[in-house]
DNA sequence: GCGACAG
DNA sequence: ATCTTGTCGC
């Protein structure tokens, strides 16, 4: 966590927008790191009934992609889902899980966008600035921007444009499968981000760190719901 | 006013 | 994000 910044989560939508514009000034869109030895993937799952979120983060040795640690955290979501303000909904939970890690990752992969955002400051940028770490956004669908479809073959890319700026890269991670959106979060140049993401892919559409984190929190959520349902059923 | 809209 | 089984294809 960047000691200079204290997270400000409980804001009104209007204040949240101002916060994004304030933090945006701290973004570093170029490579600013030494060696990447540990990569972390994080994700959330949530139970609509209780508004409870299950956050999970898994740390891998890079480039081997061998898991060395995984942690989780559970808490109520306070902010509604508003396109463009995702970090204010998921940020508290992500901050909580990362605080539990023993191994400090050198690179963080976040589900969602970075620069490809209405105000050029998506959740990947937000978390990157707060943690003061190289961060990359891995989106499964588009929020803003325009692009051509990359060629059918795995490894093909197409630039993602928004407001005259190249904010990301559409990456085909598997032959003939729907591509993913790679966007800069913090301290990593776009071209570098694409290369790093490619090296985190192991044959599936979603890069291993985020894919495994997604599966992890899904299991946690269902496990918790199973217990809750049991109490009121028998 | 209409349509779009990460997770 | 979540609700959800089988099924078509490599």
């Amino acid at each position: 966590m960047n000691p200079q910044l204290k997270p400000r989560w409980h804001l009104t939508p209007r204040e949240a927008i101002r916060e994004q514009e304030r933090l945006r000034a701290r973004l570093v869109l170029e490579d600013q790191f030494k060696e990447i030895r540990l990569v972390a993937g994080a994700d959330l799952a949530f139970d609509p009934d209780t508004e409870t979120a299950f956050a999970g983060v898994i740390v891998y040795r890079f480039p081997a992609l061998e898991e060395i640690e995984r942690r989780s955290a559970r808490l109520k979501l306070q902010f509604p889902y508003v396109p463009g303000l995702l970090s204010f909904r998921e940020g508290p939970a992500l901050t909580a899980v990362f605080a539990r890690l023993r191994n400090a990752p050198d690179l963080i992969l976040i589900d969602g966008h970075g620069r490809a955002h209405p105000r050029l400051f998506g959740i990947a940028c937000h978390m990157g600035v707060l943690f003061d770490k190289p961060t990359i956004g891995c989106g499964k669908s588009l929020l803003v921007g325009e692009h051509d479809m990359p060629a059918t073959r795995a490894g093909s890319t197409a630039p993602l444009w928004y407001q005259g700026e190249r904010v990301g890269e559409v990456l085909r991670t598997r032959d003939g499968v729907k591509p993913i959106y790679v966007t800069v979060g913090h301290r990593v140049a776009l071209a570098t981000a694409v290369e790093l993401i490619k090296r985190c892919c192991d044959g599936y559409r979603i890069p291993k760190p985020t894919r495994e984190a997604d599966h992890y929190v899904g299991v946690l959520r269902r496990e918790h719901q199973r217990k809750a349902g049991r109490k009121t059923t028998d």
Side-chain angles (χ1 to χ4, degrees):
Chain A
M1 184 76 69
N2 185 330
Q4 305 300 315
L5 297 172
K6 41 183 173 289
R8 300 180 59 210
W9 302 124
H10 305 303
L11 307 173
T12 63
R14 145 176 275 171
E15 295 171 331
I17 288 175
R18 286 224 57 208
E19 176 71 351
Q20 293 180 322
E21 293 169 338
R22 182 177 76 88
L23 294 176
R24 184 176 57 195
R26 317 181 83 105
L27 270 186
V28 173
L29 306 177
E30 309 171 347
D31 288 340
Q32 191 175 93
F33 56 82
K34 290 188 175 179
E35 191 178 357
I36 305 290
R37 298 186 180 188
L38 298 181
V39 179
D43 196 18
L44 287 195
F46 83 102
D47 172 15
D49 301 319
T50 60
E51 279 294 295
T52 299
F54 297 83
V57 56
I58 307 182
V59 179
Y60 293 85
R61 193 146 269 142
F62 184 84
L65 298 185
E66 302 165 339
E67 177 179 336
I68 65 169
E69 178 184 9
R70 66 169 63 193
R71 301 289 168 190
S72 67
R74 174 164 67 93
L75 62 163
K76 304 269 188 186
L77 294 187
Q78 303 291 333
F79 202 90
Y81 168 67
V82 179
L85 298 178
L86 180 65
S87 59
F88 294 90
R89 178 171 172 77
E90 305 194 339
L94 291 176
T95 300
V97 254
F98 274 92
R100 295 188 168 178
L101 284 179
R102 261 77 147 173
N103 298 280
D106 302 305
L107 173 67
I108 295 172
L109 271 38
I110 294 289
D111 257 307
H113 291 94
R115 278 239 115 193
H117 175 275
R119 289 167 294 281
L120 305 177
F121 196 76
I123 189 169
C125 297
H126 201 148
M127 294 304 115
V129 168
L130 285 186
F131 298 152
D132 196 20
K133 295 232 159 149
T135 305
I136 299 173
C138 297
K140 296 184 290 295
S141 63
L142 191 63
L143 173 59
V144 297
E146 304 176 331
H147 68 86
D148 287 334
M149 276 311 272
T152 313
R153 293 305 178 189
S156 302
T157 62
L160 172 59
W161 300 92
Y162 183 61
Q163 296 182 348
E165 182 184 320
R166 187 168 185 158
V167 295
E169 210 71 16
V170 187
L171 171 65
R172 187 87 67 177
T173 51
R174 292 193 63 182
D175 287 0
V177 166
K178 185 181 187 216
I180 64 171
Y181 297 87
V182 179
T183 60
V184 169
H186 188 48
R187 298 196 172 206
V188 187
L190 180 55
T192 310
V194 172
E195 288 314 304
L196 288 169
I197 289 299
K198 283 183 176 177
R199 295 174 69 185
C200 283
C201 286
D202 59 346
Y204 294 86
R205 181 167 91 109
I206 307 301
K208 188 174 184 180
T210 47
R211 189 183 72 243
E212 292 296 315
D214 176 79
H215 179 250
Y216 177 40
V217 296
V219 171
L220 289 176
R221 180 178 64 78
R222 286 187 287 276
E223 194 63 23
H224 186 266
Q225 288 183 320
R226 184 179 62 70
K227 294 175 186 171
R230 217 172 29 183
K231 288 183 179 178
T232 51
T233 298
D234 60 39

